[in-house]
Amino acid sequence: METRYRRGAGQGDHRRVTRLFLRAFALAAAVDLASLAADWDIGHLVAKPLLMPLLAAYAGSRGAPRLLIAALLCGWGGDVLLLVDADPAFLAGMASFAAGHVCYIVLFQKHGTDIATVRARGGFLAVVYTVMLSTTIQSLWPDLPADLRVPVACYSVLLTVMAYLAAARMGRVAGIGGVLFVLSDTLIASGVADWDQLPRPDLWIMLTYVAAQSLLVTGALGERRLPGAAYGEVRSTTP
């Protein structure tokens, strides 16, 4: 009985830590978005670098596989690099996000639904995402700086593959996250191409990005997708 009590107390402590990470992430996201809405640069500079480490800590406390943690930390690298207003930093940030998409792609291939289910819906989704990719690249290409056209196109391919696999193999929640990631990065690319922007473009970019990463994590941690990631359960985080 004493052993069961200690085990229950330990699980309760673990749940509290998990909730703490999630609340800290939500608070950092709220501060970041509010700072962008209020045009308060210091708040954005402080809050943005906290987002992905806190989300990764939450995912890790849920027993997330290393590939999911790696994807989020690559996103953190991209977040920090994109705070620097310089072309080399932009390219490095894009490379960091691209590495994160590779992690997501491998994760979704390993832990997605069975192949029969993918075949049932994958063909239609493949057409939709292929059309979306080709339309985006063709539209942006003439207006992008010449030295960024190929890197943006290559990045867009990786991003679209990630979003397709999220929808085809991981279900609706992750699929919406993938679409929002595409939308967020398309907003960034349209700014680089010097297209007309919505008011407070950085706010919309971060809003869709934070939602995208949150939904990808939620979808990836679904118990039917990753059985070892049940709430409050501590497992080895193998890739």
Side-chain angles (χ1 to χ4, degrees):
M1 183 174 180
E2 183 179 351
T3 301
R4 288 199 301 271
Y5 174 79
R6 287 199 299 267
R7 185 182 299 119
Q11 290 175 348
D13 290 343
H14 185 77
R15 291 190 181 95
R16 282 191 288 273
V17 170
T18 298
R19 288 194 293 267
L20 178 63
F21 284 136
L22 183 59
R23 289 169 181 168
F25 167 72
L27 176 61
V31 170
D32 187 52
L33 296 174
S35 298
L36 290 170
D39 200 21
W40 186 38
D41 291 340
I42 294 177
H44 176 59
L45 290 172
V46 171
K48 184 181 180 183
L50 298 176
L51 292 170
M52 291 306 105
L54 288 171
L55 188 57
Y58 163 73
S61 73
R62 291 280 308 273
R66 291 172 186 163
L67 283 167
L68 180 56
I69 303 299
L72 295 171
L73 293 181
C74 286
W76 170 74
D79 289 344
V80 173
L81 287 164
L82 292 186
L83 287 172
V84 181
D85 188 15
D87 285 347
F90 178 81
L91 287 170
M94 186 161 50
S96 187
F97 279 118
H101 295 321
V102 171
C103 293
Y104 274 131
I105 288 168
V106 176
L107 175 69
F108 298 161
Q109 291 280 23
K110 286 173 65 69
H111 295 288
T113 55
D114 63 272
I115 193 65
T117 305
V118 174
R119 284 174 181 164
R121 65 190 178 199
F124 172 74
L125 289 173
V127 172
V128 170
Y129 281 88
T130 299
V131 170
M132 181 173 65
L133 172 65
S134 59
T135 301
T136 301
I137 292 177
Q138 289 175 10
S139 299
L140 288 169
W141 188 272
D143 298 323
L144 289 171
D147 59 333
L148 291 180
R149 287 173 179 168
V150 172
V152 168
C154 293
Y155 175 84
S156 298
V157 171
L158 269 179
L159 172 63
T160 305
V161 171
M162 182 280 293
Y164 162 74
L165 289 174
R169 298 189 65 90
M170 302 302 291
R172 181 177 299 176
V173 172
I176 295 172
V179 170
L180 288 175
F181 216 134
V182 172
L183 176 58
S184 180
D185 283 356
T186 301
L187 290 173
I188 294 175
S190 68
V192 175
D194 204 23
W195 288 6
D196 291 338
Q197 300 290 294
L198 295 168
R200 304 286 187 195
D202 289 344
L203 172 61
W204 300 110
I205 289 168
M206 285 304 300
L207 178 62
T208 49
Y209 169 69
V210 170
Q213 293 280 36
S214 300
L215 290 172
L216 287 171
V217 169
T218 300
L221 289 177
E223 291 185 35
R224 286 181 294 177
R225 305 293 180 233
L226 300 177
Y231 183 85
E233 185 175 2
V234 183
R235 294 286 183 92
S236 173
T237 54
T238 54

